[in-house]
């Protein structure tokens, strides 16, 4: 049975989520309501997944907390579940070592799926070093592994609007921010996001953000908190 540590400062929320997960065959290994407790319990219990609202618990940077959790128990997969879409956003969460990023407005089905996929190790960021090495190899004219070459073909096959959508996903923009930036409706943004995920062969925004980081579409320095402010 998949085990999950819930790291969130709202006990009513964790009680409700815990009950829902139990109904779907996922065991809650514990609840942490502070950053110190989250790190200690993750290290001690070593659950399959740590489900954390990093923005709510972090005493400093939310991204730094994700990184601490990812390091303290290597066998535990970190999934960010947050109401703050950009603290950290998908790209920043991936760079810190998270393998999932979900908004609290998501459905229970989406949450169970994210936890299940994370526990199986199906979703995960690629280290920035590997991305940099891959770009250097291409610049030198070195051969690119077939899998990576196929990924690059998927990337170049994106339409202009889809490419813009991917850049905004990687920068941590919310659906509403993407709609404003692109000058389209929220429904259209969602359609573009679905098209991007399908074209890249990924299953989540985190997967798309990791893909973008891996292939230099956007670098770690363009994490959400580094986005330029909106005009006006």
């Amino acid at each position: 049975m998949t085990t999950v540590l819930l790291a969130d400062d709202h006990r009513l929320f964790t009680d409700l989520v815990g009950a829902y997960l139990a109904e779907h065959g996922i065991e809650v290994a514990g609840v942490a309501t502070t950053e110190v407790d989250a790190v200690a319990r993750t290290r001690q219990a070593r659950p399959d997944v740590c489900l954390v609202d990093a923005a709510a618990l972090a005493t400093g940077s939310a991204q730094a907390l994700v990184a601490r959790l990812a390091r303290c128990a290597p066998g535990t997969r970190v999934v960010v579940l947050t109401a703050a879409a950009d603290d950290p956003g998908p790209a920043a969460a991936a760079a810190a070592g998270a393998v999932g990023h979900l908004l609290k407005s998501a459905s229970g089905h989406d949450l169970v799926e994210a936890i299940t996929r994370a526990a199986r190790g199906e979703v995960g960021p690629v280290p920035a070093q590997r991305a940099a090495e891959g770009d250097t190899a291409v610049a030198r004219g070195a051969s690119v592994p077939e899998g990576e070459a196929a990924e690059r073909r998927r990337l170049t096959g994106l339409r202009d609007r889809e490419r813009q959508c991917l850049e905004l996903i990687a920068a941590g923009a919310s659906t509403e921010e993407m709609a404003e930036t692109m000058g389209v409706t929220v429904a259209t943004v969602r359609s573009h996001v679905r098209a991007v995920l399908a074209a890249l062969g990924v299953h989540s925004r985190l997967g798309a953000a990791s893909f973008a980081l891996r292939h230099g579409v956007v670098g770690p320095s363009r994490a959400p908190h580094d986005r330029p402010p909106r005009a006006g």
Side-chain angles (χ1 to χ4, degrees):
M1 177 182 290
T2 299
T3 58
V4 175
L5 175 73
L6 301 179
D8 195 293
D9 62 346
H10 290 101
R11 287 306 302 260
L12 177 59
F13 176 78
T14 56
D15 286 348
L16 293 172
V17 170
Y20 182 86
L21 295 180
E23 290 177 359
H24 290 78
I26 297 174
E27 178 184 350
V28 176
V31 175
T33 58
T34 67
E35 175 171 346
V36 171
D37 197 23
V39 173
R41 286 178 178 269
T42 299
R43 183 180 291 117
Q44 180 180 12
R46 297 186 179 274
D48 297 314
V49 175
C50 175
L51 189 67
V52 60
D53 187 340
L57 296 191
T59 55
S61 160
Q63 187 175 0
L65 172 54
V66 173
R68 287 187 68 193
L69 291 169
R71 289 195 307 268
C72 73
T76 297
R77 307 275 178 162
V78 178
V79 174
V80 174
L81 178 65
T82 181
D86 59 353
D87 190 18
V99 299
H101 186 284
L102 203 64
L103 295 179
K104 286 185 174 178
S105 58
S107 68
H109 172 80
D110 288 340
L111 176 59
V112 170
E113 183 178 11
I115 291 172
T116 302
R117 291 181 61 82
R120 290 200 299 252
E122 294 183 10
V123 180
V126 172
Q129 181 180 356
R130 177 179 162 190
E133 289 172 350
D135 291 341
T136 301
V138 172
R140 291 197 308 262
S143 60
V144 179
E146 184 176 354
E148 190 172 338
E151 286 193 350
R152 290 184 181 277
R153 285 195 296 272
R154 294 192 194 104
L155 186 60
T156 56
L158 293 178
R159 299 174 180 175
D160 290 344
R161 277 297 204 183
E162 293 169 350
R163 176 84 178 206
Q164 183 185 15
C165 181
L166 176 60
E167 291 174 354
L168 290 169
I169 289 173
S174 67
T175 300
E176 291 73 18
E177 289 172 330
M178 292 169 68
E180 180 177 342
T181 300
M182 298 173 73
V184 298
T185 65
V186 166
T188 299
V189 168
R190 289 174 177 153
S191 177
H192 284 318
V193 170
R194 288 193 296 269
V196 168
L197 300 187
L200 299 184
V202 298
H203 301 278
S204 67
R205 288 193 179 207
L206 179 77
S210 298
F211 194 110
L213 285 168
R214 184 157 68 247
H215 293 290
V217 174
V218 61
S221 63
R222 284 181 57 188
H225 56 273
D226 292 325
R227 290 202 310 263
R230 287 177 287 179

